[in-house]
Amino acid sequence: MTQLLLLIVFLLVLGHVPPGRSEFKRCWNGQGACRTYCTRHETFMHLCPDASLCCIPYGVKPAVAHKPQNV
């Protein structure tokens, strides 16, 4: 009975703990990070759902959609 009570208390406490990587939200297919400011080695691509900036390192190039050529 004591173990069951401890398990219930543990699960209740665990439910109130914030997620571990909440300050490192990812964007742009996991290649960027949502931040308030981008570093000087990153560029801003778009806004994250929480209205912060999606910062992507300069080495990562977004996929460019090719336009069909008019023949």
Side-chain angles (χ1 to χ4, degrees):
M1 184 66 182
T2 305
Q3 291 178 346
L4 180 63
L5 183 61
L6 283 174
L7 177 65
I8 291 171
V9 169
F10 175 75
L11 291 175
L12 287 173
V13 170
L14 189 62
H16 292 284
V17 176
R21 291 180 53 107
S22 63
E23 67 274 7
F24 299 112
K25 295 179 186 171
R26 306 303 291 175
C27 60
W28 201 264
N29 295 328
Q31 297 178 2
C34 297
R35 299 189 183 129
T36 306
Y37 300 102
C38 295
T39 66
R40 63 182 174 160
H41 303 290
E42 296 174 326
T43 183
F44 158 73
M45 291 304 291
H46 60 86
L47 290 177
C48 292
D50 62 350
S52 60
L53 302 175
C54 180
C55 302
I56 298 177
Y58 283 119
V60 176
K61 296 195 169 140
V64 177
H66 296 288
K67 292 182 180 179
Q69 294 180 355
N70 295 336
V71 186

